[in-house]
Amino acid sequence: MINNIFKITLILSSSVIFAQTSSKDSIVIGRNPIGDINAEQVSKAEIPGAAIVSRSKYGVLAIGGFFKTLGIVDTKSEMKLDASMPGYLGIPGVDAAQHGQSYIDARATRITLTALTDVEGLKFKGYVEWNFRGEPTNFSFRVAYLTITTKSGKTEFLAGKYFSNIGDVYSVPDALSEPTVSGLMVNERQEQIKWTQLLSPNFKFSTSVENAPNADVLGSEIKNRIAPTVTTNLSWVHPQFKTHFFIGGLLRNFWLTDKNDVEYKKIGWALSAGTHYNFSPKTRLQYVFSTGAGIGNYMVGADPLAAGIIIPNDKLSLRKSMGHYLALQHKWNDVLRSNVMSGMVILDNRTDYPSIFTYRSTQLGINTMWKIKKFLTVGIEYWYGTREDLSGKKWDNQRFVFGVQLF
C-alpha cells in the first residue's frame, strides 16, 4: 500500500497530495499536509478527505478542508500570528506585543476545491486552497495550481502557486500551526511553472521557474522588476519509504531600481539538502541544512529584509546565511504522538549593515497531539525562540499553544 501511494506522490512535485478514483464511484483526495495535523488520518480514512459535489463524463469535482482553532499565549514579544517567527522578534513595526499577549486564532481553517479529468491519456488536476490569513482576516488563496501528468505517470507539469521547489515537504516537522522552525526552507509559496520527471522508481528530478519574494531587500523606494528564480531538486527515496534524501539548488535574479532610477543587478543562490529516516514505524528523524546568499524570505528565522541591502549609488549587497533544523517524532500508540524540533539561522555581520538586522535566530519546540476521534485531534505545544541583532541585543519569547482540528 505504501509503495503504491508513494509512486503516485512522486509525480506530484514532492508532496503527499494524491488523487485516485475507484470502481465504486468514490474519490480519495489527499491534502496539502503542511500545518494539517490530521493529514495521515484523512488520507487513510474510510470517509475521504473531500466530498464529491459533481461527477460527469467531463471529470470529478470535490470540496474539502478542515476547521482549526488555536489558543496562544506569548510571554514577551512576538508577531500576532499562529506561526511562531523568531526572526521578527524586536523589529519596529513588526512586533505587535512587547509585553506578552494571549489570543485565539482560527485563521488556519482551510477550504479546498479539487477537479480531476482525463483528456486523451493526460491526467489533469486542478487544486485550489483558501484560508483566512489575509489581512486583516480576509478569505485568501494559499495555493492554487494545475498539474498535467502523462499516461505513464513519469512526467508532470505544474503551473500556478505552490511551495517553492527549493524546499522539501517530506522533511517538514509536525506542528500545531504551520511549522516555522528556524532554518526551514519550505516557506515561500510562489507562482511558478515546474517540470517533474521520474528518473527511476527511486529517483525524481524537478526544475522550476518561479516568481521571487519582492519585499526582502532594504532600500529607498525600491522598484522590483521582472526577475524570476530558477530552482532544481533531486531526490532519492528508499523503496519502502524508510528514508529519503534530497538536494536542491536556487538561482535568484535581483533586478532592482531605486527612487533615482539607478539599477542594481545581482544573482543570489542557495543550496539545500536534507533527509528523513524512519528508525521504526513509530520513530522518525528529519534534518535539513541550507546555505546561500540573498536567500531572504525563503528561509524561516531571518528578518523581513534578510535578502540584502541597497547602498545608495554604490551597490546591492546580498546577505549570506546558513540554517539547519532537526526534528524527531515518536508515535506512542495509535492515538498519541509527540515531536521535538530545533533550528538555527546565522546571517553575515558587516559594519555597513543596520544594527537592527538579524545576526542569529534560534528556536526549540515540543508538542504532543492526541487523536480523540477519527477526525478530531487536539494538541499542546511549547516554543522558545530568540533573535540577536547585529548590535548584540537579544530578544526572546516563550509561546504556549493549545489547538484543536476537526477533519
Side-chain angles (χ1 to χ4, degrees):
M1 178 64 177
I2 295 296
N3 285 339
N4 291 337
I5 292 176
F6 176 62
K7 289 177 182 178
I8 298 172
T9 59
L10 269 178
I11 62 172
L12 288 179
S13 310
S14 300
S15 88
V16 294
I17 302 169
F18 64 94
Q20 58 185 160
T21 58
S22 73
S23 58
K24 295 183 180 180
D25 202 38
S26 64
I27 185 170
V28 176
I29 298 177
R31 304 187 297 203
N32 163 24
I34 306 298
D36 181 358
I37 62 177
N38 283 337
E40 293 184 8
Q41 301 170 32
V42 171
S43 64
K44 297 177 182 178
E46 295 177 4
I47 299 175
I52 297 171
V53 295
S54 175
R55 179 183 291 276
S56 69
K57 64 180 181 179
Y58 301 107
V60 177
L61 185 66
I63 189 169
F66 58 73
F67 304 92
K68 179 189 282 189
T69 301
L70 301 176
I72 299 171
V73 176
D74 291 318
T75 60
K76 293 186 180 177
S77 58
E78 181 67 282
M79 291 181 68
K80 192 173 181 181
L81 187 68
D82 61 322
S84 181
M85 302 287 284
Y88 287 50
L89 289 171
I91 296 180
V94 176
D95 266 334
Q98 293 294 327
H99 303 289
Q101 61 188 356
S102 60
Y103 63 100
I104 296 174
D105 195 310
R107 288 177 291 179
T109 294
R110 296 184 199 169
I111 298 175
T112 66
L113 192 65
T114 304
L116 303 172
T117 190
D118 291 353
V119 179
E120 297 182 355
L122 297 176
K123 298 179 180 180
F124 290 77
K125 175 184 175 180
Y127 181 85
V128 182
E129 182 177 298
W130 298 268
N131 63 18
F132 298 88
R133 283 203 175 97
E135 293 298 335
T137 54
N138 295 329
F139 193 50
S140 59
F141 281 111
R142 175 185 164 88
V143 294
Y145 61 85
L146 170 70
T147 60
I148 304 173
T149 308
T150 59
K151 187 175 182 180
S152 67
K154 294 182 178 180
T155 304
E156 182 200 74
F157 293 92
L158 179 148
K161 186 176 183 179
Y162 191 64
F163 296 96
S164 174
N165 193 42
I166 185 64
D168 179 76
V169 297
Y170 288 132
S171 299
V172 174
D174 188 15
L176 284 184
S177 66
E178 286 197 9
T180 50
V181 61
S182 290
L184 184 71
M185 287 292 283
V186 182
N187 187 31
E188 287 292 334
R189 301 170 185 86
Q190 296 296 341
E191 289 76 9
Q192 61 186 274
I193 299 174
K194 178 162 64 174
W195 166 59
T196 302
Q197 184 67 40
L198 192 64
L199 304 177
S200 74
N202 306 112
F203 278 96
K204 179 194 65 175
F205 174 80
S206 59
T207 185
S208 67
V209 177
E210 307 174 4
N211 283 344
N214 59 7
D216 56 358
V217 174
L218 178 63
S220 178
E221 300 180 16
I222 292 176
K223 301 175 184 177
N224 190 1
R225 299 191 177 184
I226 298 173
T229 293
V230 178
T231 74
T232 59
N233 195 307
L234 177 67
S235 62
W236 173 87
V237 183
H238 187 276
Q240 280 75 47
F241 205 49
K242 185 177 182 179
T243 185
H244 95 291
F245 299 94
F246 85 94
I247 182 168
L250 175 148
L251 290 177
R252 182 178 176 187
N253 182 17
F254 291 87
W255 185 12
L256 309 172
T257 305
D258 65 16
K259 65 178 181 180
N260 298 318
D261 289 328
V262 177
E263 289 188 347
Y264 302 85
K265 296 182 180 180
K266 212 156 193 177
I267 300 295
W269 62 274
L271 290 175
S272 183
T275 183
H276 96 272
Y277 182 77
N278 293 332
F279 291 102
S280 72
K282 293 185 176 182
T283 305
R284 180 181 67 206
L285 178 73
Q286 299 162 302
Y287 179 76
V288 170
F289 173 86
S290 304
T291 187
I295 298 178
N297 289 336
Y298 282 94
M299 181 181 288
V300 177
D303 59 57
L305 301 171
I309 178 173
I310 286 183
I311 301 172
N313 300 316
D314 184 6
K315 61 181 180 179
L316 168 62
S317 176
L318 300 183
R319 298 197 67 194
K320 297 178 181 178
S321 57
M322 181 276 291
H324 66 110
Y325 70 88
L326 182 71
L328 181 68
Q329 180 184 92
H330 183 72
K331 296 181 179 179
W332 303 100
N333 49 47
D334 291 340
V335 299
L336 203 64
R337 69 186 192 271
S338 297
N339 299 270
V340 179
M341 302 154 280
S342 178
M344 175 184 291
V345 169
I346 300 176
L347 294 101
D348 59 349
N349 187 350
R350 288 178 39 169
T351 57
D352 53 352
Y353 287 162
S355 61
I356 195 65
F357 272 9
T358 300
Y359 170 61
R360 172 171 39 216
S361 76
T362 64
Q363 202 167 1
L364 173 67
I366 184 170
N367 62 42
T368 296
M369 302 179 194
W370 176 29
K371 182 176 70 173
I372 297 178
K373 296 291 185 181
K374 199 165 191 178
F375 304 109
L376 176 63
T377 299
V378 300
I380 56 174
E381 191 168 72
Y382 168 80
W383 286 102
Y384 177 69
T386 70
R387 184 181 83 91
E388 181 182 347
D389 67 21
L390 297 185
S391 71
K393 190 172 182 179
K394 190 174 182 178
W395 288 264
D396 67 354
N397 179 51
Q398 297 183 71
R399 169 168 286 196
F400 301 87
V401 186
F402 171 79
V404 56
Q405 180 178 315
L406 177 63
F407 298 118

